[in-house]
Amino acid sequence: VLSILSDLKKGGEEYFDGIQLMWPLPPQLDATKLYNAIDQRQDVDGAHYMGQCELGPSSAKTTALPPVTPAAVMDLLDEYSIDVRDKRVLVVGRSRIVGSPLAYMLRDNNAIVTVVHSDVSYENLEREVRASDIVISCAGEPNLLKAEWLSPEAEVINVGTTFWNDKLVSDFDESDLSQYAKRYSPVPGGIGPLSVASLFKNVAKAAWNRMEENSSY
């Protein structure tokens, strides 16, 4: 796989505009090496985004395509006019393809962002959920979060999903969410379809960038 990606990086820009690695990857494959083998201009998954963010916000906005799932979350917030400015937003999960870039995007929109992860104690997790206006769960662990922890006006965006007992479920028990959350995105049918739309946006953007680059010569 690494050899194929390296060959594509050398001369594939004339034939396609985007490369996406399908998850989950087999355990014997090194995700970091594979993503590094993808030309940033064709990285429609947005794996290079966090590296650009760490160099500074201006470079992140002008050169790297955004990760599709965090971009989908931001689109959902925008569609329903949910202003995160000065809101306490809890991101559950810190992966470099979902949780970390999502936290960056939320901070860039002036949210008060807290990130929790697998090493956070159950007690601290409950405390952070109770203190949050918006909870965005990206963990992929069924029943990790209890709906009864939510504050009365809290809104929930379910990102993390898992096949559990032959059913696709979120990190919350959704039967409880309907009783406790002001609004929440369903599983399935919530962020998933929006992520697909974000992927195609990235492919279109990559194609546009390539055409602009070629026309400048």
Side-chain angles (χ1 to χ4, degrees):
V1 176
L2 183 60
S3 176
I4 292 171
L5 291 174
S6 298
D7 289 343
L8 292 175
K9 188 173 183 178
K10 294 175 184 176
E13 65 276 2
E14 297 179 4
Y15 306 104
F16 53 84
D17 294 295
I19 299 175
Q20 182 188 33
L21 291 180
M22 299 304 295
W23 288 82
L25 293 173
Q28 69 270 22
L29 297 181
D30 187 322
T32 300
K33 288 183 179 180
L34 293 179
Y35 274 117
N36 285 339
I38 298 174
D39 191 312
Q40 179 180 298
R41 296 169 296 179
Q42 298 167 330
D43 173 25
V44 292
D45 265 334
H48 290 80
Y49 182 85
M50 279 309 297
Q52 290 294 310
C53 289
E54 288 158 0
L55 293 176
S58 60
S59 60
K61 290 179 179 177
T62 56
T63 63
L65 296 168
V68 295
T69 301
V73 172
M74 301 307 295
D75 286 343
L76 181 68
L77 292 169
D78 184 61
E79 176 66 24
Y80 286 91
S81 302
I82 301 173
D83 187 1
V84 299
R85 181 186 300 270
D86 203 35
K87 296 283 185 66
R88 295 186 179 278
V89 183
L90 179 66
V91 178
V92 183
R94 57 178 173 178
S95 73
R96 289 183 67 84
I97 201 70
V98 181
S100 293
L102 178 56
Y104 180 91
M105 293 175 184
L106 291 163
R107 281 192 292 267
D108 203 39
N109 282 270
N110 302 306
I112 304 168
V113 182
T114 300
V115 178
V116 295
H117 45 77
S118 57
D119 289 331
V120 172
S121 69
Y122 201 65
E123 292 77 13
N124 285 336
L125 183 59
E126 178 181 354
R127 183 190 65 199
E128 295 298 339
V129 171
R130 290 188 183 280
S132 301
D133 302 306
I134 301 171
V135 178
I136 307 175
S137 186
C138 319
E141 294 186 26
N143 299 318
L144 174 67
L145 305 172
K146 293 184 179 297
E148 64 193 51
W149 295 346
L150 295 166
S151 62
E153 292 296 305
E155 301 185 277
V156 173
I157 299 179
N158 288 306
V159 177
T161 58
T162 309
F163 277 102
W164 191 60
N165 291 338
D166 297 322
K167 180 182 177 182
L168 189 65
V169 299
S170 73
D171 299 333
F172 278 97
D173 180 343
E174 290 201 46
S175 62
D176 287 336
L177 269 182
S178 61
Q179 301 175 40
Y180 290 96
K182 178 182 178 181
R183 287 186 290 188
Y184 69 95
S185 64
V187 173
I191 291 297
L194 295 179
S195 296
V196 175
S198 295
L199 173 65
F200 285 116
K201 285 182 183 179
N202 278 354
V203 174
K205 177 64 174 175
W208 182 264
N209 290 344
R210 175 179 56 80
M211 289 187 292
E212 284 195 326
E213 184 179 325
N214 291 341
S215 66
S216 65
Y217 290 126

